Amino acid sequence: MAFDWAMQGAGFSGKLTIKTMGAAADSAITWEDIVSNHATLKFALRSNNEGVITETVLPTETTVSLSPSGGSANAYTLPWQVGYAPMIKLGPKHPIFVTPNLNGCAIFVGGDAASPSVIHANCQPDIADQGVPTYSSGDDPIVFGARVNEFYQKWKLPIWSDVYVALASKLLAGSRITDTNFTMLLPRDYLAGGASYASVFGSRASGSWRLFVNVQGKTRQFWPA
C-alpha cells in the first residue's frame, strides 16, 4: 500500500528523511507581515498545496521527494523558507501530507480532524544568538562543546520557542488559524534531547487526519493531541 510507512504511525521506528522541492515565497501570493517578539514573518494561506511524491523504502531510511516534473498530485505538501510562515489546509483529496525537515522551525496545527490547517514557521531572531560562546585556540574542545550545548539548552531553545509562542498568539488573535484543537510543535519539543532535526508528516484514514513527528528514529503522534 502506498505510504504504508506513514500509516504505521507511532509504530514506525526507522529513520525518516523528507525532502521537498520549492520554497514558500511565491510571487502570486500576497504575504502579510506578522511582527511579534523580535521577529517578523510573512504569513499567507497557500492554495497551491499539492505535489507529486514518490517513496523509496530502505531498511533504515525513507525518503520522500516532491517531483518537479508535474503529473497528477498525490499528496499535500508544505514548503518552507526563512522568514516565512505559510499555511495550507488539508482535506479529503490526498491521503498523505509532508513538509521539509525541521531544525529550528515550528509547526502550528488547528481545526477539525477532517480539514486541519497547518503552518510551517521559520524565524531566526537575533536575540536567540546573543551571548553564543566563541572558540579560541586555547579552549579544550570538549569543554567548549559542553558550553555550547549549555547555551543552546538554557538560552537559545527557550528564547526560540518563546518567539514562536508569541507568533502563535498573534495568529490566533487575528483568526488566521483556528484555536480548535490548536497544537504547537516547537524547537524545544524536538531538539532538547540532542537531536539535530525532526521530520513531520501526516496521514488520513477514515476521513480523519493525524500528524506525526519523527525524531532520532522514533515516531509519535502530536496532533490531535
Side-chain angles (χ1 to χ4, degrees), residues 146-159 187-188 191-195:
R147 286 170 52 207
V148 171
N149 183 64
E150 182 180 32
F151 166 82
Y152 205 84
Q153 302 297 329
K154 293 186 177 181
W155 175 253
K156 185 164 185 172
L157 277 182
I159 292 295
R188 66 187 179 207
L191 294 180

Side-chain angles (χ1 to χ4, degrees), residues 26-106:
D26 188 332
S27 59
I29 296 176
T30 300
W31 295 91
E32 174 190 4
D33 283 349
I34 306 293
V35 182
S36 180
N37 194 5
H38 304 285
T40 299
L41 281 90
K42 295 183 178 299
F43 167 81
L45 171 66
R46 292 178 58 94
S47 58
N48 181 21
N49 59 355
E50 301 176 352
V52 181
I53 63 174
T54 57
E55 67 170 341
T56 302
V57 180
L58 304 174
T60 59
E61 181 174 334
T62 299
T63 300
V64 181
S65 299
L66 175 63
S67 170
S69 59
S72 299
N74 61 4
Y76 293 101
T77 62
L78 179 60
W80 80 282
Q81 190 161 324
V82 174
Y84 283 79
M87 181 174 79
I88 64 168
K89 194 174 183 66
L90 306 181
K93 194 171 182 180
H94 306 298
I96 198 75
F97 157 73
V98 294
T99 191
N101 290 331
L102 284 63
N103 64 354
C105 302

Side-chain angles (χ1 to χ4, degrees), residues 3-214:
F3 310 122
D4 183 64
W5 56 269
M7 301 301 179
Q8 294 180 54
F12 181 80
S13 59
K15 176 184 178 183
L16 179 64
T17 299
I18 296 176
K19 299 178 182 177
T20 64
M21 304 290 290
D26 188 332
S27 59
I29 296 176
T30 300
W31 295 91
E32 174 190 4
D33 283 349
I34 306 293
V35 182
S36 180
N37 194 5
H38 304 285
T40 299
L41 281 90
K42 295 183 178 299
F43 167 81
L45 171 66
R46 292 178 58 94
S47 58
N48 181 21
N49 59 355
E50 301 176 352
V52 181
I53 63 174
T54 57
E55 67 170 341
T56 302
V57 180
L58 304 174
T60 59
E61 181 174 334
T62 299
T63 300
V64 181
S65 299
L66 175 63
S67 170
S69 59
S72 299
N74 61 4
Y76 293 101
T77 62
L78 179 60
W80 80 282
Q81 190 161 324
V82 174
Y84 283 79
M87 181 174 79
I88 64 168
K89 194 174 183 66
L90 306 181
K93 194 171 182 180
H94 306 298
I96 198 75
F97 157 73
V98 294
T99 191
N101 290 331
L102 284 63
N103 64 354
C105 302
I107 298 290
F108 306 141
V109 192
D112 60 68
S115 56
S117 295
V118 187
I119 296 173
H120 186 153
N122 178 281
C123 67
Q124 301 290 340
D126 292 338
I127 188 174
D129 288 321
Q130 290 181 9
V132 60
T134 55
Y135 184 80
S136 62
S137 58
D139 285 336
D140 182 317
I142 296 178
V143 174
F144 176 75
R147 286 170 52 207
V148 171
N149 183 64
E150 182 180 32
F151 166 82
Y152 205 84
Q153 302 297 329
K154 293 186 177 181
W155 175 253
K156 185 164 185 172
L157 277 182
I159 292 295
W160 220 346
S161 296
D162 287 348
V163 169
Y164 284 125
V165 169
L167 172 66
S169 296
K170 283 287 187 73
L171 294 170
L172 289 166
S175 299
R176 298 172 183 87
I177 188 171
T178 177
D179 60 359
T180 301
N181 297 321
F182 183 76
T183 300
M184 298 181 290
L185 181 70
L186 303 173
R188 66 187 179 207
D189 297 324
Y190 61 87
L191 294 180
S196 58
Y197 74 93
S199 295
V200 168
F201 61 96
S203 66
R204 181 179 58 82
S206 301
S208 295
W209 281 94
R210 295 184 299 162
L211 269 67
F212 304 90
V213 56
N214 179 279

